[in-house]
Amino acid sequence: MFRDVLLTTAVGLCLLSSAAQASPTSTKEPREKWLSEETMKQKIAEMGFSNIKVFKKTTSGCYEIYGYNKDGKKAEVYFNPVTGEIVENNVD
């Protein structure tokens, strides 16, 4: 029985860890204050990101892309939709 409790606890902690790694919160500002998708795509290109496979709005208040950075490395990047600044940059 102790083993079952330990296993259940371990699985629960793993699930919490996964949730913590979800997309970051970039802003609480209303969508009316966000940069337009077109403006944001232009800013992203000016930052050197290219070959964007995914461009989306997250439920946590960010613009998110999957593409390549200026060094040609795969990148998953979250942007503040109001300022256009990078909030999180994950590079492979």
Side-chain angles (χ1 to χ4, degrees):
M1 177 156 164
F2 178 73
R3 189 177 69 152
D4 291 341
V5 170
L6 188 60
L7 181 61
T8 302
T9 302
V11 169
L13 289 173
C14 288
L15 291 174
L16 284 174
S17 174
S18 296
Q21 293 178 0
S23 61
T25 300
S26 298
T27 187
K28 300 272 188 203
E29 293 288 341
R31 297 226 178 196
E32 301 85 56
K33 293 190 176 184
W34 288 25
L35 297 170
S36 70
E37 288 187 23
E38 195 59 42
T39 300
M40 193 64 223
K41 287 178 181 179
Q42 183 177 350
K43 281 184 160 287
I44 289 168
E46 289 169 1
M47 290 180 195
F49 294 98
S50 62
N51 200 17
I52 308 301
K53 302 291 184 193
V54 173
F55 177 94
K56 66 180 183 178
K57 296 175 184 175
T58 68
T59 56
S60 62
C62 298
Y63 278 130
E64 177 184 12
I65 65 159
Y66 292 87
Y68 293 84
N69 67 13
K70 62 183 174 187
D71 298 326
K73 295 182 179 179
K74 283 185 181 180
E76 173 189 13
V77 188
Y78 297 90
F79 298 90
N80 181 307
V82 176
T83 65
E85 295 176 350
I86 293 175
V87 174
E88 187 174 308
N89 189 359
N90 302 307
V91 178
D92 286 340

Coordinates of all heavy atoms in Angstrom, one line a residue:
M1 N 0.8 -1.2 0.0 CA 0.0 0.0 0.0 C 0.9 1.3 0.0 O 0.6 2.2 -0.7 CB -0.9 0.0 1.2 CG -1.7 1.3 1.3 SD -3.2 1.0 2.2 CE -3.7 2.6 2.5
F2 N 1.9 1.3 0.8 CA 2.8 2.4 0.8 C 3.4 2.7 -0.6 O 3.5 3.8 -1.0 CB 4.0 2.2 1.8 CG 4.9 3.3 1.9 CD1 4.6 4.5 2.5 CD2 6.2 3.2 1.3 CE1 5.5 5.6 2.5 CE2 7.1 4.2 1.4 CZ 6.7 5.4 2.0
R3 N 3.7 1.6 -1.3 CA 4.3 1.8 -2.6 C 3.2 2.5 -3.5 O 3.6 3.3 -4.4 CB 4.7 0.4 -3.2 CG 5.4 0.5 -4.5 CD 5.8 -0.9 -4.9 NE 4.6 -1.6 -5.3 CZ 4.6 -2.5 -6.2 NH1 5.7 -2.9 -6.8 NH2 3.5 -3.1 -6.5
D4 N 2.0 2.1 -3.4 CA 0.9 2.7 -4.2 C 0.8 4.2 -4.0 O 0.7 5.0 -4.9 CB -0.4 2.0 -4.0 CG -0.5 0.6 -4.5 OD1 0.4 0.3 -5.4 OD2 -1.3 -0.2 -4.1
V5 N 0.9 4.6 -2.7 CA 0.8 6.0 -2.3 C 2.0 6.7 -2.8 O 1.9 7.8 -3.4 CB 0.7 6.1 -0.7 CG1 0.9 7.6 -0.3 CG2 -0.6 5.6 -0.2
L6 N 3.2 6.1 -2.7 CA 4.4 6.7 -3.2 C 4.3 6.9 -4.7 O 4.7 8.0 -5.3 CB 5.6 5.9 -2.8 CG 7.0 6.5 -3.1 CD1 7.2 7.8 -2.4 CD2 8.0 5.5 -2.7
L7 N 3.8 5.9 -5.4 CA 3.7 6.0 -6.9 C 2.7 7.1 -7.3 O 3.0 7.9 -8.2 CB 3.3 4.6 -7.5 CG 3.1 4.6 -9.0 CD1 4.4 4.9 -9.7 CD2 2.6 3.2 -9.4
T8 N 1.6 7.1 -6.6 CA 0.6 8.2 -6.9 C 1.1 9.6 -6.6 O 0.9 10.5 -7.4 CB -0.7 7.9 -6.0 OG1 -1.2 6.6 -6.3 CG2 -1.8 9.0 -6.3
T9 N 1.9 9.7 -5.6 CA 2.5 11.0 -5.3 C 3.5 11.4 -6.3 O 3.5 12.6 -6.8 CB 3.2 11.0 -3.9 OG1 2.2 10.6 -2.9 CG2 3.8 12.3 -3.5
A10 N 4.3 10.4 -6.8 CA 5.3 10.7 -7.8 C 4.6 11.1 -9.1 O 5.1 12.1 -9.8 CB 6.2 9.5 -8.0
V11 N 3.6 10.4 -9.5 CA 2.9 10.8 -10.7 C 2.3 12.2 -10.6 O 2.3 13.0 -11.5 CB 1.8 9.7 -11.0 CG1 0.8 10.2 -12.1 CG2 2.4 8.4 -11.4
G12 N 1.7 12.5 -9.4 CA 1.1 13.8 -9.2 C 2.1 14.9 -9.3 O 1.9 16.0 -9.9
L13 N 3.3 14.7 -8.8 CA 4.4 15.7 -8.8 C 4.8 15.9 -10.3 O 5.1 17.0 -10.7 CB 5.6 15.3 -7.9 CG 5.3 15.4 -6.5 CD1 6.5 14.8 -5.7 CD2 5.1 16.9 -6.1
C14 N 4.9 14.8 -11.0 CA 5.3 14.9 -12.5 C 4.3 15.7 -13.2 O 4.6 16.6 -14.1 CB 5.4 13.5 -13.1 SG 6.9 12.6 -12.5
L15 N 3.0 15.5 -12.9 CA 1.9 16.3 -13.6 C 2.0 17.8 -13.2 O 1.9 18.6 -14.1 CB 0.6 15.7 -13.3 CG 0.3 14.4 -13.9 CD1 -1.1 13.8 -13.3 CD2 0.3 14.4 -15.4
L16 N 2.3 18.1 -12.0 CA 2.4 19.5 -11.6 C 3.7 20.1 -12.2 O 3.6 21.2 -12.6 CB 2.6 19.5 -10.0 CG 1.3 19.4 -9.2 CD1 1.7 19.3 -7.7 CD2 0.3 20.5 -9.5
S17 N 4.7 19.3 -12.4 CA 5.9 19.8 -13.0 C 5.6 20.2 -14.5 O 6.1 21.2 -15.0 CB 7.0 18.8 -12.9 OG 8.1 19.2 -13.6
S18 N 4.9 19.3 -15.1 CA 4.5 19.6 -16.5 C 3.6 20.8 -16.6 O 3.8 21.6 -17.6 CB 3.7 18.4 -17.1 OG 4.5 17.3 -17.2
A19 N 2.7 21.0 -15.7 CA 1.9 22.2 -15.8 C 2.7 23.5 -15.5 O 2.5 24.5 -16.1 CB 0.8 22.1 -14.7
A20 N 3.7 23.4 -14.7 CA 4.6 24.5 -14.4 C 5.4 24.9 -15.6 O 5.8 26.1 -15.8 CB 5.5 24.2 -13.2
Q21 N 5.6 24.0 -16.5 CA 6.4 24.3 -17.7 C 5.5 24.7 -18.9 O 6.0 24.9 -20.0 CB 7.2 23.0 -18.1 CG 8.3 22.7 -17.1 CD 9.0 21.5 -17.5 OE1 8.8 20.8 -18.5 NE2 10.0 21.1 -16.7
A22 N 4.3 25.0 -18.7 CA 3.4 25.5 -19.7 C 3.8 26.9 -20.1 O 4.7 27.5 -19.5 CB 1.9 25.5 -19.2
S23 N 3.2 27.4 -21.1 CA 3.6 28.7 -21.6 C 3.5 29.8 -20.5 O 2.6 29.7 -19.7 CB 2.7 29.1 -22.8 OG 1.3 29.2 -22.4
P24 N 4.5 30.7 -20.6 CA 4.5 31.7 -19.5 C 3.4 32.8 -19.7 O 2.8 32.8 -20.8 CB 5.9 32.4 -19.8 CG 6.1 32.2 -21.2 CD 5.5 30.8 -21.5
T25 N 3.1 33.5 -18.7 CA 2.1 34.6 -18.8 C 2.9 35.9 -19.2 O 3.8 36.3 -18.5 CB 1.4 34.8 -17.5 OG1 0.7 33.6 -17.2 CG2 0.4 36.0 -17.6
S26 N 2.5 36.4 -20.3 CA 3.2 37.6 -20.8 C 2.6 38.9 -20.4 O 3.2 39.9 -20.1 CB 3.3 37.6 -22.3 OG 4.1 36.5 -22.8
T27 N 1.3 38.9 -20.4 CA 0.5 40.1 -20.1 C -0.9 39.8 -19.6 O -1.4 38.7 -19.9 CB 0.5 41.1 -21.3 OG1 -0.1 42.3 -20.8 CG2 -0.4 40.5 -22.4
K28 N -1.4 40.7 -18.8 CA -2.8 40.6 -18.4 C -3.6 41.7 -19.2 O -4.8 41.8 -18.9 CB -3.0 40.8 -16.9 CG -2.2 39.8 -16.1 CD -3.0 38.6 -15.8 CE -2.3 37.7 -14.8 NZ -2.7 36.3 -14.9
E29 N -3.0 42.4 -20.0 CA -3.7 43.5 -20.8 C -4.7 42.9 -21.7 O -4.5 41.8 -22.2 CB -2.6 44.3 -21.6 CG -1.6 45.1 -20.8 CD -2.2 46.3 -20.2 OE1 -3.3 46.7 -20.6 OE2 -1.6 46.8 -19.2
P30 N -5.8 43.6 -21.9 CA -6.9 43.1 -22.8 C -6.3 43.0 -24.3 O -5.4 43.7 -24.6 CB -8.0 44.2 -22.7 CG -7.3 45.4 -22.1 CD -6.1 44.9 -21.4
R31 N -6.9 42.2 -25.0 CA -6.5 42.0 -26.4 C -6.5 43.2 -27.3 O -5.8 43.3 -28.2 CB -7.3 40.9 -27.1 CG -7.1 39.5 -26.3 CD -6.9 38.4 -27.2 NE -6.7 37.2 -26.4 CZ -6.2 36.1 -26.9 NH1 -5.9 36.1 -28.1 NH2 -6.0 35.1 -26.1
E32 N -7.3 44.2 -26.9 CA -7.4 45.4 -27.7 C -6.0 46.2 -27.6 O -5.7 47.0 -28.5 CB -8.5 46.4 -27.1 CG -9.9 45.8 -27.2 CD -10.2 45.0 -25.9 OE1 -10.1 45.5 -24.8 OE2 -10.6 43.8 -26.1
K33 N -5.2 45.9 -26.6 CA -3.9 46.6 -26.4 C -2.8 45.8 -27.1 O -1.7 46.3 -27.1 CB -3.6 46.8 -25.0 CG -4.6 47.8 -24.3 CD -4.1 48.2 -23.0 CE -5.1 49.3 -22.4 NZ -4.6 49.8 -21.1
W34 N -3.1 44.6 -27.5 CA -2.1 43.8 -28.2 C -1.7 44.3 -29.5 O -2.5 44.9 -30.2 CB -2.6 42.4 -28.4 CG -2.7 41.5 -27.1 CD1 -2.9 42.0 -25.8 CD2 -2.7 40.1 -27.0 NE1 -3.0 40.9 -25.0 CE2 -2.8 39.8 -25.7 CE3 -2.5 39.1 -28.0 CZ2 -2.9 38.5 -25.3 CZ3 -2.5 37.8 -27.5 CH2 -2.7 37.5 -26.2
L35 N -0.4 44.1 -29.9 CA 0.0 44.5 -31.3 C -0.8 43.5 -32.2 O -1.1 42.4 -31.9 CB 1.5 44.2 -31.5 CG 2.4 45.1 -30.6 CD1 3.9 44.6 -30.7 CD2 2.4 46.5 -31.1
S36 N -1.1 44.0 -33.4 CA -1.8 43.1 -34.4 C -0.9 42.0 -34.7 O 0.4 42.1 -34.6 CB -2.2 43.9 -35.6 OG -1.0 44.2 -36.4
E37 N -1.5 40.9 -35.2 CA -0.7 39.8 -35.6 C 0.3 40.2 -36.7 O 1.5 39.7 -36.7 CB -1.6 38.6 -36.1 CG -2.3 37.9 -35.0 CD -3.0 36.7 -35.4 OE1 -2.7 36.1 -36.4 OE2 -4.0 36.3 -34.7
E38 N -0.1 41.0 -37.7 CA 0.7 41.4 -38.8 C 1.9 42.2 -38.3 O 3.1 42.0 -38.7 CB -0.1 42.2 -39.8 CG 0.6 42.4 -41.1 CD 0.9 41.1 -41.8 OE1 0.1 40.2 -41.8 OE2 2.0 41.0 -42.3
T39 N 1.7 43.1 -37.3 CA 2.8 43.9 -36.8 C 3.7 43.0 -36.0 O 4.9 43.2 -36.1 CB 2.2 45.0 -35.8 OG1 1.3 45.9 -36.6 CG2 3.3 45.8 -35.2
M40 N 3.2 42.1 -35.2 CA 4.0 41.2 -34.5 C 4.9 40.3 -35.4 O 6.0 40.1 -35.1 CB 3.1 40.3 -33.5 CG 3.9 39.6 -32.5 SD 4.8 40.7 -31.3 CE 6.3 39.9 -31.2
K41 N 4.3 39.8 -36.4 CA 5.0 39.0 -37.4 C 6.2 39.8 -38.0 O 7.3 39.2 -38.2 CB 4.1 38.4 -38.5 CG 3.2 37.3 -38.0 CD 2.2 36.9 -39.1 CE 1.3 35.8 -38.5 NZ 0.4 35.3 -39.6
Q42 N 6.0 41.0 -38.3 CA 7.0 41.9 -38.8 C 8.1 42.1 -37.8 O 9.3 42.0 -38.1 CB 6.4 43.2 -39.2 CG 7.4 44.2 -39.9 CD 6.8 45.5 -40.4 OE1 5.6 45.6 -40.4 NE2 7.6 46.4 -40.7
K43 N 7.8 42.3 -36.5 CA 8.8 42.5 -35.5 C 9.6 41.2 -35.3 O 10.8 41.3 -35.1 CB 8.1 42.8 -34.1 CG 7.7 44.3 -34.0 CD 7.1 44.4 -32.5 CE 7.1 45.9 -32.1 NZ 8.4 46.4 -31.9
I44 N 8.9 40.1 -35.4 CA 9.6 38.8 -35.2 C 10.6 38.6 -36.4 O 11.7 38.2 -36.1 CB 8.5 37.7 -35.2 CG1 7.8 37.7 -33.9 CG2 9.2 36.3 -35.4 CD1 6.5 36.8 -33.8
A45 N 10.2 38.9 -37.6 CA 11.1 38.8 -38.7 C 12.3 39.8 -38.5 O 13.5 39.4 -38.8 CB 10.4 39.1 -40.0
E46 N 12.1 41.0 -38.0 CA 13.2 41.9 -37.8 C 14.1 41.5 -36.7 O 15.3 41.8 -36.8 CB 12.6 43.3 -37.4 CG 11.9 44.0 -38.6 CD 11.1 45.2 -38.1 OE1 11.1 45.6 -36.9 OE2 10.5 45.9 -39.0
M47 N 13.7 40.6 -35.8 CA 14.5 40.0 -34.8 C 15.4 38.9 -35.3 O 16.2 38.4 -34.6 CB 13.7 39.5 -33.6 CG 13.0 40.6 -32.8 SD 12.1 39.8 -31.4 CE 11.1 41.1 -30.9
G48 N 15.1 38.5 -36.6 CA 15.9 37.5 -37.2 C 15.3 36.1 -37.2 O 15.9 35.1 -37.6
F49 N 14.1 36.0 -36.7 CA 13.4 34.7 -36.8 C 12.8 34.4 -38.2 O 12.3 35.4 -38.8 CB 12.3 34.6 -35.7 CG 12.8 34.6 -34.3 CD1 12.8 35.8 -33.6 CD2 13.3 33.5 -33.7 CE1 13.3 35.9 -32.3 CE2 13.8 33.6 -32.4 CZ 13.8 34.7 -31.7
S50 N 12.9 33.2 -38.6 CA 12.5 32.9 -40.0 C 11.8 31.5 -40.0 O 11.9 30.7 -39.0 CB 13.6 33.0 -40.9 OG 14.6 32.0 -40.6
N51 N 11.3 31.2 -41.2 CA 10.7 29.9 -41.4 C 9.8 29.5 -40.3 O 9.9 28.4 -39.7 CB 11.8 28.8 -41.6 CG 11.3 27.6 -42.4 OD1 10.2 27.6 -43.0 ND2 12.0 26.5 -42.3
I52 N 8.9 30.4 -39.9 CA 7.9 30.2 -38.8 C 6.9 29.1 -39.2 O 6.1 29.3 -40.1 CB 7.2 31.5 -38.4 CG1 8.2 32.6 -38.2 CG2 6.3 31.3 -37.2 CD1 9.3 32.4 -37.1
K53 N 6.9 28.0 -38.5 CA 5.9 26.9 -38.7 C 4.6 27.2 -38.0 O 3.6 26.8 -38.5 CB 6.5 25.6 -38.3 CG 7.8 25.2 -39.0 CD 7.6 24.9 -40.4 CE 9.0 24.5 -41.0 NZ 8.9 24.5 -42.5
V54 N 4.7 27.8 -36.8 CA 3.5 28.0 -36.0 C 3.6 29.5 -35.4 O 4.7 29.9 -35.0 CB 3.4 27.0 -34.8 CG1 2.3 27.4 -33.9 CG2 3.3 25.6 -35.3
F55 N 2.5 30.2 -35.5 CA 2.4 31.5 -34.9 C 1.0 31.5 -34.3 O 0.0 31.3 -35.0 CB 2.4 32.6 -36.0 CG 2.2 34.0 -35.4 CD1 3.2 34.8 -35.0 CD2 0.9 34.5 -35.2 CE1 3.0 36.0 -34.4 CE2 0.7 35.7 -34.6 CZ 1.8 36.5 -34.2
K56 N 0.9 31.6 -33.0 CA -0.4 31.6 -32.3 C -0.4 32.4 -31.1 O 0.6 32.9 -30.5 CB -0.7 30.1 -32.0 CG 0.2 29.5 -30.9 CD -0.2 28.1 -30.6 CE 0.6 27.4 -29.5 NZ 0.2 26.1 -29.2
K57 N -1.7 32.6 -30.6 CA -1.9 33.3 -29.3 C -2.1 32.2 -28.3 O -2.9 31.3 -28.5 CB -3.2 34.2 -29.4 CG -3.1 35.3 -30.4 CD -4.5 36.0 -30.5 CE -4.5 37.0 -31.6 NZ -5.8 37.6 -31.8
T58 N -1.4 32.4 -27.2 CA -1.6 31.4 -26.1 C -2.7 31.8 -25.2 O -3.1 32.9 -25.2 CB -0.3 31.2 -25.3 OG1 -0.1 32.4 -24.5 CG2 0.9 30.9 -26.1
T59 N -3.2 30.8 -24.4 CA -4.3 31.1 -23.5 C -3.7 31.9 -22.3 O -4.5 32.4 -21.5 CB -5.0 29.8 -23.0 OG1 -4.0 29.0 -22.5 CG2 -5.7 29.2 -24.1
S60 N -2.4 31.9 -22.1 CA -1.8 32.6 -21.0 C -1.3 34.0 -21.3 O -0.7 34.7 -20.5 CB -0.5 31.8 -20.5 OG 0.4 31.7 -21.5
G61 N -1.7 34.5 -22.5 CA -1.4 35.9 -22.8 C -0.1 36.2 -23.5 O 0.5 37.2 -23.2
C62 N 0.3 35.3 -24.5 CA 1.5 35.5 -25.3 C 1.2 35.3 -26.7 O 0.2 34.7 -27.1 CB 2.6 34.5 -24.8 SG 3.1 34.6 -23.2
Y63 N 2.1 35.8 -27.5 CA 2.3 35.3 -28.9 C 3.3 34.2 -28.8 O 4.4 34.4 -28.2 CB 2.7 36.4 -29.9 CG 1.6 37.3 -30.4 CD1 1.7 38.7 -30.3 CD2 0.4 36.8 -30.9 CE1 0.7 39.5 -30.8 CE2 -0.6 37.6 -31.4 CZ -0.5 38.9 -31.3 OH -1.5 39.8 -31.8
E64 N 3.2 33.1 -29.5 CA 4.1 32.0 -29.5 C 4.5 31.6 -30.9 O 3.6 31.6 -31.8 CB 3.5 30.8 -28.8 CG 4.4 29.6 -28.7 CD 3.7 28.4 -28.1 OE1 2.5 28.5 -27.8 OE2 4.4 27.4 -27.8
I65 N 5.7 31.4 -31.2 CA 6.1 30.9 -32.5 C 7.0 29.6 -32.3 O 7.6 29.4 -31.3 CB 7.0 31.9 -33.3 CG1 8.3 32.2 -32.6 CG2 6.1 33.2 -33.6 CD1 9.3 32.8 -33.5
Y66 N 7.0 28.8 -33.4 CA 7.9 27.8 -33.6 C 8.6 28.0 -34.9 O 7.9 28.1 -36.0 CB 7.2 26.4 -33.6 CG 6.6 26.0 -32.3 CD1 5.4 26.4 -31.9 CD2 7.4 25.2 -31.4 CE1 4.8 26.0 -30.7 CE2 6.9 24.8 -30.2 CZ 5.6 25.2 -29.8 OH 5.1 24.8 -28.6
G67 N 9.9 28.2 -35.0 CA 10.6 28.5 -36.2 C 12.1 28.4 -36.0 O 12.5 27.6 -35.2
Y68 N 12.8 29.2 -36.6 CA 14.3 29.2 -36.5 C 14.8 30.6 -36.2 O 14.3 31.6 -36.7 CB 14.9 28.8 -37.9 CG 14.5 27.3 -38.2 CD1 13.3 26.9 -38.7 CD2 15.4 26.3 -37.8 CE1 13.0 25.6 -39.0 CE2 15.2 25.0 -38.0 CZ 14.0 24.6 -38.6 OH 13.6 23.3 -38.8
N69 N 15.8 30.6 -35.3 CA 16.4 31.9 -35.0 C 17.4 32.4 -36.0 O 17.6 31.7 -37.0 CB 17.0 31.9 -33.6 CG 18.2 31.0 -33.5 OD1 18.8 30.5 -34.4 ND2 18.6 30.7 -32.2
K70 N 18.1 33.5 -35.8 CA 19.0 34.0 -36.8 C 20.2 33.1 -37.0 O 20.9 33.3 -38.0 CB 19.4 35.4 -36.4 CG 20.2 35.5 -35.1 CD 20.5 37.0 -34.8 CE 21.1 37.1 -33.4 NZ 21.3 38.4 -33.0
D71 N 20.5 32.2 -36.1 CA 21.6 31.3 -36.2 C 21.2 30.0 -36.9 O 22.0 29.0 -36.9 CB 22.2 31.0 -34.8 CG 22.8 32.2 -34.1 OD1 23.3 33.1 -34.9 OD2 22.7 32.3 -32.9
G72 N 19.9 29.9 -37.3 CA 19.4 28.7 -37.9 C 19.0 27.6 -37.0 O 18.8 26.5 -37.5
K73 N 18.9 27.9 -35.7 CA 18.5 26.8 -34.7 C 17.0 26.9 -34.5 O 16.4 28.0 -34.5 CB 19.3 27.1 -33.4 CG 20.8 26.9 -33.6 CD 21.5 27.0 -32.3 CE 23.0 26.8 -32.4 NZ 23.7 27.0 -31.2
K74 N 16.5 25.7 -34.3 CA 15.0 25.6 -34.0 C 14.8 26.4 -32.7 O 15.5 26.3 -31.7 CB 14.6 24.2 -33.8 CG 14.4 23.4 -35.0 CD 13.9 22.0 -34.7 CE 13.8 21.2 -35.9 NZ 13.2 19.8 -35.6
A75 N 13.7 27.1 -32.7 CA 13.3 28.0 -31.6 C 11.8 27.9 -31.3 O 11.0 27.9 -32.2 CB 13.8 29.4 -31.8
E76 N 11.5 27.9 -30.0 CA 10.1 28.1 -29.5 C 10.2 29.3 -28.7 O 10.9 29.4 -27.7 CB 9.7 26.9 -28.7 CG 8.4 27.1 -28.0 CD 8.1 26.0 -26.9 OE1 9.0 25.2 -26.6 OE2 6.9 26.0 -26.5
V77 N 9.5 30.4 -29.1 CA 9.7 31.7 -28.5 C 8.3 32.3 -28.1 O 7.4 32.2 -28.9 CB 10.4 32.7 -29.4 CG1 10.7 34.0 -28.7 CG2 11.7 32.0 -30.0
Y78 N 8.3 32.8 -26.9 CA 7.1 33.5 -26.4 C 7.3 35.0 -26.3 O 8.4 35.4 -25.9 CB 6.7 33.0 -25.0 CG 6.3 31.5 -25.0 CD1 7.3 30.6 -24.8 CD2 5.0 31.1 -25.2 CE1 7.0 29.2 -24.7 CE2 4.7 29.8 -25.1 CZ 5.7 28.8 -24.9 OH 5.4 27.5 -24.9
F79 N 6.4 35.8 -26.8 CA 6.5 37.2 -26.9 C 5.4 37.9 -26.1 O 4.3 37.5 -26.1 CB 6.4 37.7 -28.3 CG 7.5 37.2 -29.2 CD1 7.3 36.0 -29.9 CD2 8.7 37.8 -29.4 CE1 8.3 35.5 -30.8 CE2 9.7 37.3 -30.3 CZ 9.4 36.2 -30.9
N80 N 5.8 39.0 -25.5 CA 4.8 39.9 -24.9 C 4.0 40.5 -26.0 O 4.6 41.2 -26.9 CB 5.4 41.0 -24.0 CG 4.5 41.9 -23.3 OD1 3.6 42.4 -24.0 ND2 4.6 42.0 -22.0
P81 N 2.7 40.3 -26.1 CA 1.9 40.8 -27.2 C 1.7 42.3 -27.2 O 1.2 42.9 -28.2 CB 0.6 40.1 -27.1 CG 0.5 39.8 -25.7 CD 1.9 39.6 -25.2
V82 N 2.0 43.0 -26.1 CA 1.8 44.4 -26.0 C 3.1 45.2 -26.4 O 3.0 46.1 -27.2 CB 1.4 44.9 -24.6 CG1 1.3 46.4 -24.5 CG2 0.0 44.2 -24.2
T83 N 4.2 44.7 -26.0 CA 5.5 45.3 -26.2 C 6.3 44.7 -27.4 O 7.2 45.3 -27.9 CB 6.4 45.3 -25.0 OG1 6.7 44.0 -24.7 CG2 5.7 46.0 -23.8
G84 N 6.0 43.4 -27.6 CA 6.8 42.7 -28.6 C 8.1 42.1 -28.1 O 8.8 41.4 -28.8
E85 N 8.4 42.2 -26.8 CA 9.6 41.7 -26.2 C 9.5 40.2 -26.0 O 8.4 39.7 -25.8 CB 9.9 42.4 -24.9 CG 10.1 43.9 -25.0 CD 10.3 44.6 -23.6 OE1 10.0 43.9 -22.6 OE2 10.6 45.7 -23.6
I86 N 10.7 39.6 -26.1 CA 10.8 38.1 -25.8 C 10.6 37.9 -24.3 O 11.3 38.5 -23.5 CB 12.1 37.6 -26.3 CG1 12.2 37.7 -27.8 CG2 12.3 36.1 -25.8 CD1 13.5 37.3 -28.4
V87 N 9.7 37.0 -24.0 CA 9.5 36.6 -22.6 C 10.2 35.3 -22.3 O 10.8 35.2 -21.2 CB 7.9 36.4 -22.4 CG1 7.7 35.8 -21.0 CG2 7.2 37.7 -22.6
E88 N 10.2 34.4 -23.3 CA 10.9 33.1 -23.1 C 11.4 32.7 -24.4 O 10.7 32.7 -25.4 CB 10.0 32.1 -22.5 CG 10.7 30.8 -22.1 CD 9.8 29.8 -21.4 OE1 9.1 30.3 -20.4 OE2 9.7 28.7 -21.8
N89 N 12.7 32.2 -24.5 CA 13.3 31.7 -25.8 C 13.9 30.4 -25.5 O 14.9 30.3 -24.8 CB 14.3 32.8 -26.2 CG 14.9 32.6 -27.5 OD1 14.5 31.6 -28.2 ND2 15.8 33.4 -27.9
N90 N 13.3 29.3 -26.1 CA 13.8 28.0 -26.0 C 14.4 27.6 -27.4 O 13.7 27.5 -28.4 CB 12.7 27.0 -25.6 CG 12.0 27.4 -24.3 OD1 12.7 27.6 -23.3 ND2 10.7 27.6 -24.4
V91 N 15.7 27.3 -27.4 CA 16.4 27.0 -28.6 C 16.9 25.5 -28.5 O 17.5 25.1 -27.5 CB 17.6 27.9 -28.8 CG1 18.4 27.6 -30.1 CG2 17.1 29.4 -28.9
D92 N 16.8 24.8 -29.6 CA 17.3 23.4 -29.6 C 18.7 23.5 -30.1 O 19.1 24.2 -31.0 CB 16.5 22.5 -30.6 CG 15.1 22.2 -30.0 OD1 15.0 22.3 -28.7 OD2 14.2 21.8 -30.7

